[in-house]
Amino acid sequence: MVNNFRSYLEKKRALIEEWIDNNFPKGSGLGRRVIEASLYSLKAGGKRIRPILCLMGYELFRSDSEKVLPFACGLECIHTYSLIHDDLPCMDDDDFRRGKPSCHKAFDEATAILAGDGLLTLAFEWFTHPKIIKEVSPLALLRAIHLVSKAVGLVGMVGGQMADLLAEGKKGDARTLNWIHTHKTVLFLEASLVTGAILAEAPNEEIKVLSKFGKKLGLLFQIIDDLLDIVGDEKTLGKPVKSDLKKKKITYPALYGVEKTRALAEKVHRDALQALEALSHRDFKLLKELTIYLLNRVN
Ligand code: GRG
């Protein structure tokens, strides 16, 4: 089962990479530098969790997920934009990302800001790619775009990033931590999964179940992310460790310690698996494997 799941992830990653390679704007004009910088960050590696979640959400209901690949790749563009901007000196000031110099280090700050802006915009071009428009119900597509826009916008990831910056160096509490993580990370991961189901025109009741599961999965992802900053390996992670600690970020280990945080991750993992049980008439084996993978991930 585990090997099957690994090969599933590899297969999906290869499809995502291939689609990006074939469809990324080819830069030949005077603005070529920003295209190079965007592609540099987009192709620097990464687990491709958000597009894979979208494909998995779709595949619970329909088998022809290649039809929604442009949408899934658009999610990765949004994610990469957020990482480029997060690494900027005026935000988290990180020199390395995905094992390589951050975009503003490999290029310069102005180019990195533009690369992020360009990727965010490209996401919407891909969400409405002619291939998607031909294959997916227009209402389902609008619903999916609305959901993801909200999840990554002012009342989602952008707001979460604001709160995260404001909380730096302050004594945080559980409520603040939960708010930041929900907005900065969880809503986008949840939306990535749920958009897949929406594009497959899944019944609303099942979309609600996936939304509940997606929240647990997103929280698990973030708790492990916090833990890896303390116990992770720099080379495997592709970025410096103990960076949250140095910046006095509010994190789960900072609030509860490593052991309690690990126990919390295991509880959230169990909750996520329990939420999935409500989909007992669907084949959710891969989502179960993904939950286990996210609990045990090392990067
Ligand atoms: C700048 C609007 C804006 C938002 C930034 C993404 C983000 C919000 C901050 C990055 C800091 C961080 C470590 C957030 C926690 C979760 C997270 C997004 C981790 C990185 O995502 P992965 O592990 O990265 O999926 P890869 O490289 O595998 O794609």
Side-chain angles (χ1 to χ4, degrees), residues 222-233:
Q222 182 60 60
I223 297 172
I224 298 297
D225 205 77
D226 283 1
L227 268 177
L228 287 175
D229 186 65
I230 311 262
V231 300
D233 168 63

Side-chain angles (χ1 to χ4, degrees), residues 16 32 41 67 77 82 86 111 118 126 140 148 157 162 164 168 177 189-191 214 238 244 246 249 268 278 288:
I16 290 161
R32 195 173 67 204
S41 290
K67 288 183 176 165
C77 288
S82 77
D86 184 65
T111 306
W126 284 359
V148 75
M157 183 176 73
M162 184 79 258
D164 184 77
E168 229 173 86
L177 174 70
L189 286 162
E190 176 198 348
D244 292 343
K246 279 181 208 138
K249 288 253 183 205
V268 175
K288 198 170 166 184

